[in-house]
Amino acid sequence: ISYHDLGQCYDYCDNHAEAIKASLVAIELQQKLNAKKPKSYACCLAVMHHDQSIYYRSLGRHEEAARSVQFAIDVMKRLASKAPVLYSPRLSRAQYDYSYSLVCLERYEEAAQAAQASLNLWKELARSDPDSFKADFLEVQYNLGCIAEAQHDRGYDCNELGKIEEAAKAMRLAVQLRMDLARSDPDNFNLALSNSQFKLAYYLSDLGQHEESVRMWRASAEIRANLAPSNPKRFNAKLS
């Protein structure tokens, strides 16, 4: 059994500390091979770093998890540029896990960028082969929606604490993410987008940014006006 396989066995048994030890040995050995034949061993080295990041994350060591998976992303980007069909799925999974680690580190804007990059890749793959990749696309889409919801809630909490600038920054990110999601799936994300735009308009008004505030009000109202015919009792009162 290889050290990499041993690490996976330890992880399966919830012994994440031993999994990390095994992965460190595996990576050290793989780096020596990669130095001699990078074309042959680069992918294996990236996979080992990606797996190692999961072990770190399981122990709450998110900084180390982020560094490990970032290495995997850098390698997979180079490989995917030459063979996208073969390496894009691995790249997308690494970007998705990277976004999770960044959320745990409260680096929300970077997390959103990583999650969006992952979503865009899965979208392309799902278009070309829906049977193989649509489930992955929907999973990443759902989790990107969760990041957006967390930012929406964070904006609300900051506002309650009187931190209006932080509230607006968080809500602006929620609007940006939900706008991207609504483009590909309006039925599931338009209402959430409208809610974030509505809140952001309030915060911008409090900050004296009245022109942008009005734009957000109008964008939110336009979405609700389009939703009203399907559920007039729910939306017409809010529009008035």
Side-chain angles (χ1 to χ4, degrees), residues 161-213:
L161 294 171
K163 300 177 180 179
I164 308 300
E165 289 188 1
E166 289 182 46
K169 184 177 180 181
M171 200 61 70
R172 194 186 299 277
L173 181 55
V175 168
Q176 176 191 331
L177 293 175
R178 286 177 164 173
M179 196 173 290
D180 289 342
L181 290 165
R183 286 192 192 101
S184 58
D185 192 352
D187 291 342
N188 282 323
F189 292 104
N190 264 343
L191 177 57
L193 170 59
S194 176
N195 289 338
S196 293
Q197 289 170 325
F198 184 79
K199 288 291 185 184
L200 180 57
Y202 264 118
Y203 303 157
L204 292 171
S205 179
D206 289 342
L207 290 170
Q209 299 177 32
H210 301 298
E211 288 187 13
E212 190 177 2
S213 175

Side-chain angles (χ1 to χ4, degrees), residues 2-175:
S2 71
Y3 280 101
H4 180 235
D5 292 338
L6 181 62
Q8 290 181 318
C9 290
Y10 277 129
D11 182 61
Y12 182 77
C13 297
D14 291 330
N15 193 341
H16 309 299
E18 290 298 322
I20 290 170
K21 290 179 183 178
S23 74
L24 289 169
V25 176
I27 286 171
E28 183 181 356
L29 294 172
Q30 194 69 33
Q31 283 172 334
K32 293 176 181 178
L33 294 170
N34 189 63
K36 296 177 181 178
K37 294 184 178 180
K39 290 184 179 180
S40 300
Y41 296 106
C43 180
C44 293
L45 186 59
V47 169
M48 288 180 181
H49 274 87
H50 188 179
D51 287 349
Q52 184 188 63
S53 75
I54 296 170
Y55 310 153
Y56 278 128
R57 194 176 72 197
S58 298
L59 291 176
R61 295 164 62 176
H62 301 297
E63 287 279 4
E64 291 155 299
R67 281 197 297 270
S68 292
V69 76
Q70 178 66 71
F71 179 91
I73 288 171
D74 292 342
V75 174
M76 287 300 175
K77 277 183 178 178
R78 292 196 298 270
L79 295 172
S81 67
K82 297 175 181 177
V85 175
L86 187 59
Y87 295 109
S88 287
R90 289 188 182 277
L91 171 59
S92 184
R93 290 188 187 98
Q95 288 170 324
Y96 171 66
D97 284 345
Y98 184 49
S99 73
Y100 186 94
S101 293
L102 292 171
V103 167
C104 294
L105 293 168
E106 298 184 358
R107 290 161 57 182
Y108 298 110
E109 291 185 23
E110 294 172 78
Q113 290 171 1
Q116 283 177 309
S118 176
L119 184 70
N120 290 339
L121 274 178
W122 283 124
K123 191 186 295 185
E124 291 176 16
L125 291 165
R127 250 190 231 116
S128 61
D129 188 353
D131 291 338
S132 298
F133 297 115
K134 188 174 181 181
D136 296 287
F137 167 71
L138 292 174
E139 180 186 354
V140 177
Q141 179 178 261
Y142 170 79
N143 284 284
L144 187 57
C146 290
I147 294 176
E149 184 175 0
Q151 287 308 290
H152 181 97
D153 293 344
R154 179 168 164 259
Y156 182 85
D157 292 340
C158 287
N159 181 62
E160 290 294 297
L161 294 171
K163 300 177 180 179
I164 308 300
E165 289 188 1
E166 289 182 46
K169 184 177 180 181
M171 200 61 70
R172 194 186 299 277
L173 181 55
V175 168

